[in-house]
Amino acid sequence: MAKLYFYYSAMNAGKTTTLLQSAHNYHERGMRTLILTPRLDDRYGEGVVASRIGLKARGTIFGREDDLLSRVQSDIDARGPLHCVLVDEAQFLSKAQVWQITEIVDRLKVPVLAYGLRTDFRGELFEGSQYLLAWADNLVEIKTICHTGRKATMVVRVDEHGRAITDGPQVEIGGNDRYVSVSRGEFKKIMAGEGRIDLQQPQLPLG
C-alpha cells in the first residue's frame, strides 16, 4: 500500500543524501522515480539535487503555484509507471501542494517520500512541514548533533560573525555559511545574544 512519508530534521542531517540513496535503491531494482525540487533552491544549479558529500541527481523543478498531482500524472502518461516520488526541501511546499501529494498516494497509488526541515530560524513551522506533520502516514526524524554534543532539533540563521539573526524573511537560501543546527537549549542561548557559533564545519578527514 502506498504511503506518504515525511523525513524531517534540522540542517545538515543528511536529508538529501538519504533522498538520493532512496532513489538509487529504486533504480537498482529497475524501478522508476521522480524527484521534485523547488525552483527557489538553486544553490547547485537549476534542477540539480545535491548533497554535501557530493551525490547529485537531476530533479524536476516546481513552483509554489504548480499542481503536483497533475505534474506526476503527466509524467506517468508520458513515461509509464512510476514507483516512487521523492520531494526535496519539502518545507517549501504550500498547503495545497501537501494535499496534492496525498492525492498522489491515495489516488495514483504511488508512494511519496518528502524530506525537509521542520522549523525555520525562528523556531516556527514552515507551511509545508506543518501539513506534512499533520497528514503524512509516517513521520521519520533524521537525527544530527549540536556542537554541544546534544541532539540538534533547531536551526539558527547567523551573520558573518556567527551571531544569531532574529529578523528577516522566513525563506533565505543558504548552507553552512548562513545556518547552524543546534539543540533547543543552545537555540535559546544564541537567540538571546549569548555567545556565537563557528560557521563552517570542518570536512570529514580522509586517509
Side-chain angles (χ1 to χ4, degrees):
M1 182 181 295
K3 291 183 178 181
L4 170 57
Y5 298 81
F6 180 36
Y7 294 85
Y8 67 90
S9 74
M11 290 278 292
N12 299 331
K15 294 182 298 299
T16 301
T17 300
T18 305
L19 181 155
L20 293 171
Q21 180 64 57
S22 296
H24 176 72
N25 291 345
Y26 274 95
H27 284 246
E28 271 195 324
R29 290 157 179 79
M31 298 178 175
R32 199 169 70 82
T33 65
L34 177 65
I35 299 175
L36 298 175
T37 184
R39 179 175 290 112
L40 56 82
D41 187 2
D42 57 0
R43 284 173 290 171
Y44 303 101
E46 190 172 69
V48 176
V49 177
S51 72
R52 292 175 299 128
I53 64 172
L55 301 176
K56 292 183 181 180
R58 177 64 59 181
T60 296
I61 300 168
F62 68 89
R64 278 183 63 83
E65 304 306 318
D66 290 340
D67 185 326
L68 300 184
L69 175 62
S70 296
R71 180 72 65 87
V72 170
Q73 183 65 68
S74 296
D75 181 88
I76 293 171
D77 293 341
R79 298 179 177 85
L82 189 62
H83 298 93
C84 185
V85 173
L86 303 105
V87 185
D88 192 38
E89 304 293 354
Q91 70 271 12
F92 296 138
L93 294 169
S94 67
K95 177 182 179 181
Q97 287 173 328
V98 177
W99 188 256
Q100 290 156 16
I101 64 174
T102 69
E103 289 284 82
I104 294 169
V105 173
D106 298 335
R107 192 186 303 183
L108 303 183
K109 310 302 181 186
V110 177
V112 176
L113 281 57
Y115 299 79
L117 300 174
R118 183 173 57 171
T119 58
D120 65 14
F121 72 103
R122 296 165 296 194
E124 299 177 4
L125 289 171
F126 284 97
E127 180 180 349
S129 304
Q130 176 183 348
Y131 291 101
L132 283 164
L133 288 168
W135 297 337
D137 298 296
N138 287 74
L139 303 174
V140 182
E141 183 181 21
I142 301 175
K143 297 178 177 63
T144 189
I145 58 172
C146 172
H147 62 270
T148 63
R150 300 186 183 93
K151 186 174 82 168
T153 57
M154 315 286 284
V155 176
V156 178
R157 181 186 292 170
V158 294
D159 62 18
E160 64 272 20
H161 304 295
R163 303 283 182 179
I165 296 172
T166 57
D167 294 310
Q170 184 182 51
V171 177
E172 195 169 290
I173 300 300
N176 287 351
D177 59 329
R178 298 301 314 278
Y179 297 95
V180 182
S181 295
V182 295
S183 67
R184 186 179 61 235
E186 194 69 2
F187 178 84
K188 293 175 182 177
K189 175 182 171 183
I190 298 299
M191 292 295 279
E194 301 172 13
R196 56 179 295 280
I197 299 177
D198 291 331
L199 298 182
Q200 188 64 49
Q201 300 169 2
Q203 293 184 336
L204 184 69
L206 299 176

